Amino acid sequence: MFWLMFLPAWVWPAQAPARELLAVGAQFERVFDYQASGNYVGLGAELVRIMAVRTGNTVRFRMVPWARAQAMLAQGRADILIGPYKAPERFASMAFSEQPFYQDQIVFYTRQHPGLIWDGDYATLKNRRLVMLNGWAYGTDLERARSTLQVSVANSVESGLKMLVHNHVDLFVSNRRNTEPVIARLGLERQVRILPRVLETQNGYFAFPRSPEFDRLRLQFDQELTTLVDSGELKRLGRRFDVTTP
């Protein structure tokens, strides 16, 4: 095997050096949670840990407001963003994973007794006050109607719910997974309700900076996520964290 010593360098497969990855996100119930013990938990955090190990890397996490997390990724100051939905305005700065890893229903929350109903026509809401969350993507239909609506912006689900119950707005638009645990935590079950019509069903992804130097990492994570999907492991983890998987 002495001849192997003289093989040209290009014959050997390129191996990216192992490194510590930075995964960022905001508080997403059961997808990316921070515990008082200092641990990061949730389906997204668990998947990132698994895929980092399988690709020979380590990972650390950081939780920041959602708009800042997106900016960190766009600027290349983070390697992975946990949980974004796809939206046209994000494609310029984010390269999404090939497959989603969770699924959400986007709905309107209102107070229990305002007698409000909605038939799906956004034009009927032009005199209603809405609160939306800073940096969130809500789907094509609502984004198209947004300029015709009276919209306030909140920085957290808790803030949006409090604006609703204190009658600062008539509707809060959010996803059920993120919102229902907060309703329970705040003891608001008798004060708010969901309007029955689902606005959108959105898939959540991992995202990477849109720069060639991150392509290898994205493709490695795509391969590992596909393995987790095909083996049924993603479904099992989804049940463990009470998160709907695609």
Side-chain angles (χ1 to χ4, degrees):
M1 303 298 289
F2 182 77
W3 58 274
L4 289 173
M5 298 177 58
F6 298 98
L7 281 175
W10 56 263
V11 172
W12 298 100
Q15 294 292 328
R19 63 187 182 90
E20 183 182 66
L21 306 174
L22 175 60
V24 298
Q27 172 68 36
F28 281 2
E29 296 283 338
R30 303 193 291 262
V31 168
F32 190 44
D33 286 319
Y34 180 74
Q35 296 182 320
S37 62
N39 293 324
Y40 290 92
V41 298
L43 178 61
E46 186 70 11
L47 288 171
V48 170
R49 285 193 185 95
I50 291 170
M51 294 188 289
V53 168
R54 292 186 178 184
T55 56
N57 297 292
T58 59
V59 62
R60 64 185 174 94
F61 296 97
R62 185 176 175 191
M63 184 174 289
V64 296
W66 188 230
R68 188 190 305 172
Q70 294 176 76
M72 289 177 67
L73 189 85
Q75 296 161 9
R77 295 190 291 120
D79 300 286
I80 306 162
L81 179 65
I82 298 174
Y85 305 150
K86 284 185 177 179
E89 65 272 14
R90 292 176 172 171
F91 292 138
S93 59
M94 297 183 192
F96 288 85
S97 56
E98 185 177 9
Q99 297 192 64
F101 70 94
Y102 74 99
Q103 194 170 77
D104 280 335
Q105 287 186 334
I106 309 298
V107 294
F108 279 133
Y109 289 86
T110 188
R111 289 179 295 281
Q112 279 285 6
H113 304 293
L116 179 62
I117 59 173
W118 182 57
D119 62 0
D121 183 0
Y122 288 101
T124 64
L125 300 177
K126 63 180 181 180
N127 295 319
R128 300 288 185 176
R129 300 162 300 167
L130 274 65
V131 60
M132 303 171 73
L133 290 166
N134 188 24
W136 281 34
Y138 286 99
T140 304
D141 291 343
L142 181 54
E143 293 295 346
R144 187 183 296 119
R146 184 170 182 161
S147 63
T148 68
L149 304 173
Q150 300 179 40
V151 176
S152 299
V153 176
N155 287 319
S156 69
V157 171
E158 181 173 337
S159 296
L161 287 168
K162 288 181 176 179
M163 290 175 70
L164 179 64
V165 298
H166 290 120
N167 201 26
H168 297 308
V169 295
D170 302 302
L171 293 164
F172 172 42
V173 56
S174 186
N175 65 63
R176 299 186 64 169
R177 172 194 48 79
N178 245 331
T179 308
E180 290 175 3
V182 181
I183 290 173
R185 197 155 58 237
L186 297 176
L188 300 178
E189 295 93 333
R190 295 185 178 182
Q191 297 183 59
V192 301
R193 64 183 175 91
I194 294 175
L195 293 185
R197 184 180 291 269
V198 175
L199 280 67
E200 296 272 351
T201 298
Q202 292 273 32
N203 288 324
Y205 295 78
F206 295 108
F208 305 81
R210 187 168 285 284
S211 171
E213 65 188 277
F214 293 92
D215 286 349
R216 182 186 181 92
L217 177 66
R218 176 175 52 82
L219 293 173
Q220 287 178 322
F221 269 53
D222 278 343
Q223 181 178 352
E224 297 303 334
L225 184 55
T226 296
T227 299
L228 292 168
V229 171
D230 292 345
S231 68
E233 183 68 4
L234 177 61
K235 288 287 186 186
R236 188 188 70 79
L237 289 170
R239 290 192 297 271
R240 172 182 161 192
F241 289 104
D242 193 20
V243 174
T244 301
T245 53

